[in-house]
Amino acid sequence: MGAVESTPPASAPSEGEAAVLETHLGPVHARCFGPASATRRALAIHGQSSKLAVREEWAKAAAALGASGYRVVVPDWHSNDRTAPPAVADADIAQIAALALGDSEDHAAPVLLLGKSWGGAAAARYAAAHGSRVAALVLVAPAAVDADVASKLDMPLLLMHTRDDAPAVSKAEVFGVCARIERHVVDEGGHRILPSYSSVIERFARASFPP
């Protein structure tokens, strides 16, 4: 089970374009940021909570990446009962990710993958299973993953959390085996994607997966 989600402060509605992904489990709503023609693509997976503020928590970072030339897709996993966390299976997440990123049978370009809390653990498991597909990985306060998963993450990894989020601090220890890890830890902020994270994520993306 993912960590208990704290609710981010109220903010303006998400920017970006509304989209509907016609998946094998039915329609899943999403927000898309950045130019549709971008060659660099990214997928962001939100936390477990069904609260709107959590489901839209990646918006600021996604908008910043979009403005830098990335195409970022943020599915709302709670928009379909069959894809709602934590019940949705990793295999289904992988299929929906491929659809969201515009994969074809002949082409699946490397991507930037981002995940927070439950979504962070899901992103880590995806990256471990599909390492050649993930050019760079961003995890914010990820839920627990097995050491075997962490040991397979050989792509550039940005791990972010706060020191006052005790569960995230303990669960982050497993990523110490990752050779290409960059840590960004701040003192306070709880179990959230902090506004200050956006510029750090954008810098990391430009360095590890240039637009």
Side-chain angles (χ1 to χ4, degrees):
M1 179 179 290
V4 175
E5 299 285 349
S6 57
T7 304
S11 60
S14 296
E15 299 175 358
E17 310 159 22
V20 177
L21 307 174
E22 297 295 345
T23 81
H24 64 293
L25 296 178
V28 173
H29 292 266
R31 304 295 295 188
C32 302
F33 302 78
S37 60
T39 58
R40 295 305 200 198
R41 305 223 155 210
L43 181 79
I45 307 176
H46 61 63
Q48 179 175 313
S49 174
S50 62
K51 294 179 180 178
L52 184 62
V54 171
R55 291 152 63 182
E56 295 187 343
E57 200 172 6
W58 277 114
K60 182 176 176 62
L65 288 170
S68 293
Y70 297 86
R71 180 65 167 179
V72 188
V73 182
V74 188
D76 179 355
W77 301 93
H78 285 286
S79 63
N80 181 324
D81 290 343
R82 299 180 68 190
T83 65
V88 61
D90 285 352
D92 292 322
I93 291 175
Q95 285 193 52
I96 294 169
L99 177 66
L101 293 165
D103 290 356
S104 67
E105 292 184 3
D106 301 322
H107 182 70
V111 300
L112 171 66
L113 184 61
L114 309 95
K116 183 252 182 170
S117 193
W118 167 83
R125 293 193 300 270
Y126 178 93
H130 307 276
S132 63
R133 182 74 212 278
V134 180
L137 180 63
V138 176
L139 303 179
V140 177
V145 300
D146 295 336
D148 182 59
V149 169
S151 69
K152 295 175 181 176
L153 302 178
D154 57 1
M155 68 287 297
L157 165 62
L158 174 61
L159 180 64
M160 315 180 82
H161 62 82
T162 63
R163 293 188 177 90
D164 65 356
D165 184 3
V169 172
S170 63
K171 291 167 185 173
E173 294 178 1
V174 71
F175 297 99
V177 299
C178 301
R180 303 175 72 184
I181 189 171
E182 176 182 335
R183 296 178 185 267
H184 181 79
V185 182
V186 299
D187 289 333
E188 299 179 340
H191 197 67
R192 299 188 291 117
I193 302 174
L194 301 179
S196 62
Y197 287 178
S198 296
S199 60
V200 180
I201 292 171
E202 183 185 4
R203 177 195 54 75
F204 170 80
R206 283 185 167 276
S208 57
F209 188 49

